[in-house]
């Protein structure tokens, strides 16, 4: 067979296999630097002379990749190591192989490569549709072939015909499919039905079989497609005679460096000290915010080429040094319109400093305890978030005139020389540089990471759970009918009388004076007559839906006596108030959850930081919990058994969880803390490893906010729209939780101020009980949400249906003109921040 004839019948089919489109990535896609090109020597080709070399080698190598050739007829046992292979390209003229085993094994090889994230490019025929069985050709290999095509994003239906009277072209992208000659079905004489399976599959040439059998539906067939995970071009629609209809250069480039238009970011992690911590922090931040991303570690970064970065809205970079990064690629990406965020300071380097806009940069960071101030323009809706209690390391830096400083250290001297974060435009692109180590590991800066993308991206969107939780620990609880005010004043006054040191006397005098602000009532009367009335008024003022957590005893019993465990403390309050408060909570719409038989953590070992007595074994835990359950049923009925549990001291171990689950099958949620402080259990908004309990941690607490607490609250809200706060009814009597006895009116006014500001900025927060929030978190965290930027808008894809609504926030360049399949929640023209609500599969914000 002459080579010139072979060129006349060449047909190109490209298949790319990488990661799944609609899931958030956990690892980078397979990005080796080699493209494996496979041909058949039995068809007259060699390494030096084959269609792959003629049509693709130049475009592959010009994009920074290298080519390796392989002969199909030599088998595939020698190709067991595909570590550096980015793509496999095949080019065959015929579709029949010598035996069934060859066809089956080839399909398995290709699928195995696809499952490793390797792109697969098939030219002309797939090459193994059928096989020889004696003198007969059999075509029963489709069950082995279809899984590969499915990974591409298409279904190979069949229904072949070569009758041009029954085939018509219904759509074509001429720039892609009519390079040298027009498409013409009367010349191509070929139809197979190819059905796109996913939203990301782009069709460039679509046929329709007008006499299609009923199984073929409308008979439409996408015969030339490209998707994020593959591409396909059917025989006779690529080359005809000496004319090449397919724009092979554009096709292979799009196939190798596919951009589906969905919002996506790249996370580059170079030489860092805590790789696991940084990966976990970013993965949860992006999981919560529904940000699709690819993660590149130090070794992965070595395999990147320039066009790999084109699909990303932004690069997120964490590294100690510039040398661990593909700095040239990053710089070119930004200069050509890309956006880049450095999560931490990088060691000074001449080229780096010129890039980030620094004329002088100290190598050693300095530690500051005074906190930081970030410009309100950084945050959603321009809200002011103080960071006075934020400790951080910052390097002294003198920035260029074109740099916009967004935050500085709170210092009396040379604050301008200690910028914490700045923004800089570079040609067509933009970067944001965090001159601190604050963001790369802390859970309480996840919202800052998300907001950093918002700050530099032209258009961006993320998901929001939009849930506010207000929990009350130790309510109802045992109360002692004690007037703390005279007791505490006498206690500190006696100390003052015996104190000789002037400094200590002054401190004691201040405490005694503050103690005069304590309620005059007993703890029992204060909780029933003052505190409870005030929180009910907050229920109306702020829309709170309370979840309160009952505790039966404050004893230290973890070993039952001869009489066994019993509930005593709960009934000591005046007029049975503890019992009545439980009823009042239920009648006022509270969720009544469980805080424990007593305040001893359900653990087999003693917590280091708390005076909690460990339990001897699970059996004893279960005995105390069973007493609690029976008491609960007697008081409030079986239908009111708790759904949620808050662990005493925010500590519980595996044995404790097992005991809790066995005694209280009604409990589905266990709550501790989002960030552990003193040995507490730290949680994510996620299932426990055994999927028995869902974790809904608390982020902030108390009636007054230190700046650190305020920062934590707004940071989590900027991550994915969650507020998780808890209070106690007796905080006013506690020295630490009342800021050294500032009194109830002071605590109340501070609480109302903080949550009043929150309501003013975000009046649409959905306050709900923990039980109701459980269902929201389960649905939200298990749902795929994707965003696609179009010419004048954002397309939003959610599961839709089933009556569940999704909240989306976005930053758009100008006023929206139309909202399709969604409703407006809030729009802030000054910042471009918009929040919408949708329960549809596809919604659009149009501007």
């Amino acid at each position: 067979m002459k080579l010139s004839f072979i060129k006349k019948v060449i047909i190109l089919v490209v298949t790319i296999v990488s990661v799944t489109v609609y899931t958030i990535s956990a690892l980078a896609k397979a990005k080796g630097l080699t493209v494996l090109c496979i041909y058949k020597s039995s068809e007259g080709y060699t390494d030096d002379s084959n269609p792959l070399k003629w049509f693709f080698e130049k475009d592959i190598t010009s994009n920074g990749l290298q080519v390796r050739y392989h002969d199909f007829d030599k088998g595939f046992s020698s190709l067991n190591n595909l570590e550096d292979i980015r793509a496999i390209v095949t080019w065959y003229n015929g579709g029949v192989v010598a035996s069934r085993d060859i066809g089956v094994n080839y399909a398995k090889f290709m699928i195995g490569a696809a499952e490793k994230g390797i792109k697969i490019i098939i030219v002309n025929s797939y090459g193994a549709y059928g096989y020889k069985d004696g003198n007969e050709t059999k075509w029963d290999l489709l069950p082995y072939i279809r899984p590969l095509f499915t990974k591409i994003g298409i279904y190979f239906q069949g229904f072949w015909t070569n009758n041009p009277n029954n085939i018509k072209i219904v759509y074509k992208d001429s720039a892609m499919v009519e390079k040298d000659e027009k498409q013409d079905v009367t010349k191509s004489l070929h139809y197979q039905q190819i059905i796109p399976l996913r939203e990301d599959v782009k069709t460039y040439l679509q046929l329709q079989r007008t006499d299609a059998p009923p199984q073929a539906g409308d008979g439409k067939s996408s015969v030339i497609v490209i998707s994020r995970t593959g591409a396909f071009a059917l025989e006779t629609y690529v080359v005809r005679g000496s004319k090449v209809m397919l724009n092979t250069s554009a096709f292979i480039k799009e196939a190798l460096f596919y951009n589906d238009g969905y919002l996506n970011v790249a996370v580059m992690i170079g030489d860092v000290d805590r790789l696991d911590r940084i990966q976990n922090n970013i993965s949860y931040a992006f999981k919560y915010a529904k940000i699709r991303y690819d993660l590149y570690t130090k070794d992965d970064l070595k395999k990147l080429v320039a066009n790999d970065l084109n699909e990303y809205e932004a690069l997120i970079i964490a590294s100690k040094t510039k040398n661990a990064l593909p700095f040239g690629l990053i710089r070119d990406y930004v200069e050509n319109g890309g956006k880049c965020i450095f999560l931490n300071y990088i060691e000074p380097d001449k080229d780096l400093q010129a890039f980030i806009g620094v004329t002088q940069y100290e190598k050693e960071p300095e530690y500051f305890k005074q906190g930081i101030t970030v410009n309100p323009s950084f945050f959603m809706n321009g809200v002011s978030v103080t960071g006075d209690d934020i400790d951080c390391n910052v390097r002294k830096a003198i920035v260029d005139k074109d740099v916009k400083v967004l935050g500085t250290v709170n210092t009396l001297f040379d604050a301008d020389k200690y910028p914490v974060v700045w923004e800089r435009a570079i040609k067509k692109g933009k970067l944001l540089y965090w001159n601190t180590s604050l963001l790369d590991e802390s859970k309480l800066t996840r919202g800052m990471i998300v907001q950093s993308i918002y700050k530099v991206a032209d258009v961006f969107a993320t998901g929001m759970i939009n849930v506010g939780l207000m929990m009350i620990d130790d309510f109802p609880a045992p109360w002692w009918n004690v007037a703390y005010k005279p007791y505490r004043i006498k206690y500190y006054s006696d100390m003052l009388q015996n104190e000789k040191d002037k400094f200590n006397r002054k401190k004691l005098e201040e405490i005694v004076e503050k103690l005069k602000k304590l309620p005059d009532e007993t703890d029992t009367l204060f909780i029933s007559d003052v505190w409870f009335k005030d929180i009910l008024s907050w229920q109306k003022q702020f829309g709170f839906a309370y979840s309160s957590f009952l505790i039966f005893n404050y004893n230290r019993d973890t070993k039952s006596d001869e009489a066994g465990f019993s509930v005593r403390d709960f009934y000591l309050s005046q007029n049975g108030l503890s019992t009545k408060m439980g009823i009042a909570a239920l009648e006022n719409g509270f969720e009544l959850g469980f805080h424990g038989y007593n305040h001893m953590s359900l653990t087999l070992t003693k917590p280091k930081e708390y005076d909690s007595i460990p339990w001897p074994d699970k059996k004893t835990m279960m005995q105390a919990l069973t007493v609690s359950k029976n008491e609960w049923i007697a008081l409030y009925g079986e239908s009111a058994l708790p759904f949620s549990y808050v662990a005493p001291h925010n500590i519980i171990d595996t044995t404790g969880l097992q005991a809790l689950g066995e005694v209280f099958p009604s409990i589905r949620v266990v709550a501790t803390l989002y960030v552990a402080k003193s040995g507490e259990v730290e949680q994510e908004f996620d299932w426990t490893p055994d999927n028995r309990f869902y974790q809904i941690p608390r982020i902030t607490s108390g009636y007054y906010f230190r700046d650190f607490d305020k920062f934590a609250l707004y940071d989590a809200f900027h991550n994915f729209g969650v507020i998780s706060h808890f209070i106690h009814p007796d905080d006013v009597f506690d020295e630490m939780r009342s800021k050294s006895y500032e009194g109830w009116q002071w605590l109340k006014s501070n609480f109302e101020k903080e949550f009043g500001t929150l309501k003013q900025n975000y009046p649409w927060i959905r306050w709900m009980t923990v039980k109701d929030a459980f269902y929201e978190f389960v649905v939200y965290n298990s749902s795929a949400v994707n965003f696609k930027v179009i010419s004048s808008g954002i397309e939003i894809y959610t599961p839709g249906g089933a009556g569940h609504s999704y909240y989306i926030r976005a930053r758009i360049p100008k006023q929206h003109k139309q909202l399709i399949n969604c409703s407006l929640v809030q729009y802030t023209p000054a910042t471009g921040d918009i929040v919408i609500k949708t329960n549809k599969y596809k919604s659009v914000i149009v501007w």
Side-chain angles (χ1 to χ4, degrees), residues 107 181 204 236 300 471 518 528 573 607 696 700:
E181 187 169 88
Y204 294 91
T236 74
D300 299 322
M471 306 185 211
L518 279 182
S528 62
S573 60
I696 299 184
T700 52

Side-chain angles (χ1 to χ4, degrees), residues 39-50:
Y39 62 88
K40 290 182 180 179
S41 59
S42 56
E43 295 179 342
Y45 299 135
T46 67
D47 281 6
D48 296 324
S49 181
N50 62 72

Side-chain angles (χ1 to χ4, degrees), residues 416-519:
D416 60 324
K417 295 180 181 178
Y418 294 94
V420 174
V421 57
W422 63 77
E423 179 184 11
R424 188 189 187 209
I426 304 176
K427 294 185 178 180
K428 297 179 181 179
K430 191 182 293 184
L431 67 79
L432 190 80
Y433 189 86
W434 284 96
N435 185 34
T436 176
S437 58
L438 185 64
L439 268 70
D440 54 4
E441 293 186 23
S442 173
K443 289 177 71 170
L444 295 181
T445 59
R446 290 174 176 175
M448 301 287 276
I449 296 173
V450 173
Q451 199 62 19
S452 293
I453 306 174
Y454 270 101
K455 187 61 181 172
V456 297
D458 297 322
V459 177
F460 206 66
T462 55
M464 300 186 77
I465 184 71
N466 189 23
V467 165
L469 299 169
M470 186 61 63
M471 306 185 211
I472 310 172
D473 284 9
D474 298 77
F475 178 75
W479 296 302
W480 314 112
N481 313 312
V482 174
Y484 284 96
K485 181 174 181 176
Y487 167 77
R488 293 273 168 80
I489 289 176
K490 182 178 185 307
Y491 174 79
Y492 283 100
S493 295
D494 289 344
M495 289 180 63
L496 181 59
Q497 276 189 330
N498 297 318
E499 183 58 58
K500 305 299 181 184
D501 183 85
K502 290 183 179 181
F503 178 80
N504 291 339
R505 285 184 63 82
K506 184 178 179 180
K507 288 293 182 183
L508 288 169
E509 287 169 355
E510 290 173 354
I511 292 175
V512 170
E513 191 63 30
K514 282 188 174 183
L515 284 169
K516 295 177 182 178
K517 299 177 183 179
L518 279 182

Side-chain angles (χ1 to χ4, degrees), residues 298-512:
K298 187 177 179 179
D299 290 338
D300 299 322
L301 293 175
K302 298 174 183 177
K303 299 178 180 180
L304 286 176
V305 295
N307 284 323
D308 287 330
L309 303 183
N310 291 341
E311 68 174 289
Y312 299 115
E313 267 58 50
L315 310 181
I316 310 295
I317 298 172
S319 182
K320 290 192 299 183
T321 68
K322 188 199 76 178
N323 293 336
L325 302 169
F327 182 71
L329 296 183
I330 294 170
R331 181 173 53 197
D332 291 344
Y333 165 82
V334 174
E335 290 178 350
N336 285 288
K339 312 300 188 296
C340 178
I341 297 108
F342 290 87
L343 289 189
N344 59 311
Y345 45 53
I346 297 182
E347 289 185 7
D349 173 279
K350 183 179 179 180
D351 291 337
L352 172 76
Q353 290 173 216
F355 182 58
I356 65 176
V358 175
T359 56
Q360 296 180 36
Y361 203 22
E362 294 296 327
K363 185 173 183 179
E364 295 300 325
E366 297 181 40
Y367 178 67
F368 292 88
K369 297 186 67 175
Q370 302 96 318
I372 62 175
T373 298
V374 178
N375 193 312
S377 66
F378 180 84
F379 297 98
M380 183 183 178
N381 294 358
V383 67
S384 180
V385 180
T386 57
D388 292 344
D389 291 335
I390 305 295
D391 300 347
C392 61
N393 291 312
V394 177
R395 282 197 171 112
K396 189 175 182 180
I398 307 299
V399 299
D400 292 338
K401 292 181 180 180
D402 66 342
V403 167
K404 183 179 180 181
V405 175
L406 301 176
T408 63
V409 168
N410 295 340
T411 177
L412 296 176
F413 305 101
D414 297 330
D416 60 324
K417 295 180 181 178
Y418 294 94
V420 174
V421 57
W422 63 77
E423 179 184 11
R424 188 189 187 209
I426 304 176
K427 294 185 178 180
K428 297 179 181 179
K430 191 182 293 184
L431 67 79
L432 190 80
Y433 189 86
W434 284 96
N435 185 34
T436 176
S437 58
L438 185 64
L439 268 70
D440 54 4
E441 293 186 23
S442 173
K443 289 177 71 170
L444 295 181
T445 59
R446 290 174 176 175
M448 301 287 276
I449 296 173
V450 173
Q451 199 62 19
S452 293
I453 306 174
Y454 270 101
K455 187 61 181 172
V456 297
D458 297 322
V459 177
F460 206 66
T462 55
M464 300 186 77
I465 184 71
N466 189 23
V467 165
L469 299 169
M470 186 61 63
M471 306 185 211
I472 310 172
D473 284 9
D474 298 77
F475 178 75
W479 296 302
W480 314 112
N481 313 312
V482 174
Y484 284 96
K485 181 174 181 176
Y487 167 77
R488 293 273 168 80
I489 289 176
K490 182 178 185 307
Y491 174 79
Y492 283 100
S493 295
D494 289 344
M495 289 180 63
L496 181 59
Q497 276 189 330
N498 297 318
E499 183 58 58
K500 305 299 181 184
D501 183 85
K502 290 183 179 181
F503 178 80
N504 291 339
R505 285 184 63 82
K506 184 178 179 180
K507 288 293 182 183
L508 288 169
E509 287 169 355
E510 290 173 354
I511 292 175
V512 170

